């Protein structure tokens, strides 16, 4: 499993790496951005090298949340085609989704569930936005007095450590948990 958010930043490097992995005849998986799904040359190199599973950061199904997160390459209306593209190259897809952006209220959970079902994913991981110390979102929430937890060891993607703008921390945690239960 390759854990490298930048593995595909240099297309030629990634293709060369795949060519070197292929003779090893190993099965492997990787974290991948959505934009590589539009690159059949790269996907074919990955397939030949034994990649069978990709974890894809779709991030959210709300366009304002994508903008707030600075994720310019993701297009919600193209998510289904991203999954199909990986599938055409023999790869299973697990999607990552984050909840708790300031523009989201409790309706985001039903919307996300509908999108996830329609996308054709093999699996999905649902996370709560986590404002890690040293990040701009942490600084923003701290300056707004919205941090609920200050002990670093309590930060993780399963707990609301801040007060969301349009729902309570409890609603955020419950919404993620109930969406998991309905999906799986």
């Amino acid at each position: 499993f390759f854990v490298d958010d930048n593995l595909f930043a240099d297309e030629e490097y990634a293709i060369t790496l795949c060519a070197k992995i292929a003779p090893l005849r190993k099965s492997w998986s990787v974290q991948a951005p959505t934009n590589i799904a539009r690159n059949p040359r790269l996907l074919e190199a990955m397939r030949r090298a034994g990649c069978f599973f990709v974890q894809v950061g779709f991030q959210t199904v709300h366009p304002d949340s994508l903008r707030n997160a600075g994720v310019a390459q993701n297009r919600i209306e193209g998510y289904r085609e991203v999954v199909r593209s990986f599938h055409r190259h023999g790869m299973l897809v697990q999607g990552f989704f984050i909840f708790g952006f300031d523009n989201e209220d409790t309706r985001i959970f039903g919307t996300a569930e509908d999108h996830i079902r329609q996308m054709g994913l093999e699996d999905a991981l649902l996370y709560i936005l986590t404002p890690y110390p040293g990040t701009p979102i942490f600084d923003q929430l701290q300056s707004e007095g919205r941090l609920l937890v200050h002990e670093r060891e309590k930060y993780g993607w399963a707990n609301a450590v801040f007060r969301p703008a349009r729902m309570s921390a409890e609603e955020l945690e419950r919404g993620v948990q109930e969406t998991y239960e309905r999906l799986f």
Side-chain angles (χ1 to χ4, degrees):
F1 177 58
F2 286 88
V3 181
D4 182 351
D5 291 337
N6 297 305
L7 184 67
F8 301 102
D10 180 336
E11 177 185 340
E12 290 308 315
Y13 172 82
I15 289 173
T16 300
L17 178 63
C18 287
K20 293 192 181 284
I21 293 171
L24 302 175
R25 304 180 64 78
K26 299 285 184 182
S27 295
W28 54 278
S29 61
V30 66
Q31 292 176 339
T34 58
N35 58 342
I36 71 164
R38 294 185 297 271
N39 187 330
R41 181 174 168 242
L42 180 55
L43 293 177
E44 184 56 27
M46 291 167 62
R47 185 199 61 74
R48 282 193 312 269
C51 183
F52 74 98
F53 181 78
V54 291
Q55 293 182 327
V56 179
F58 292 101
Q59 310 304 346
T60 180
V61 298
H62 196 297
D64 291 338
S65 299
L66 285 176
R67 277 190 292 281
N68 291 340
V71 180
Q73 74 273 9
N74 287 9
R75 298 284 180 266
I76 296 162
E77 65 277 2
Y79 283 177
R80 178 70 180 127
E81 184 52 35
V82 167
V83 174
R84 285 181 180 148
S85 185
F86 284 117
H87 284 169
R88 281 192 297 272
H89 289 85
M91 295 173 224
L92 304 172
V93 183
Q94 179 180 58
F96 287 26
F97 299 88
I98 300 172
F99 297 87
F101 292 97
D102 275 353
N103 53 279
E104 297 174 351
D105 59 27
T106 56
R107 291 176 293 183
I108 191 64
F109 303 111
T111 302
E113 181 182 343
D114 291 344
H115 277 273
I116 290 167
R117 288 187 189 285
Q118 293 168 12
M119 289 170 66
L121 297 166
E122 278 67 44
D123 192 22
L125 292 178
L126 313 180
Y127 294 108
I128 293 173
L129 178 68
T130 302
Y132 288 107
T135 62
I137 188 70
F138 179 90
D139 294 341
Q140 174 193 335
L141 293 172
Q142 186 174 42
S143 72
E144 294 172 358
R146 293 170 50 198
L147 291 177
L148 301 173
V149 175
H150 298 282
E151 299 83 13
R152 174 64 176 90
E153 66 275 3
K154 294 184 180 175
Y155 278 59
W157 291 15
N159 305 306
V161 297
F162 69 99
R163 189 173 52 258
R166 298 181 182 196
M167 66 181 108
S168 69
E170 294 78 18
E171 287 174 317
L172 176 56
E173 289 177 352
R174 187 173 52 251
V176 169
Q177 183 59 44
E178 289 174 355
T179 302
Y180 258 128
E181 291 169 6
R182 285 190 304 271
L183 285 170
F184 306 112

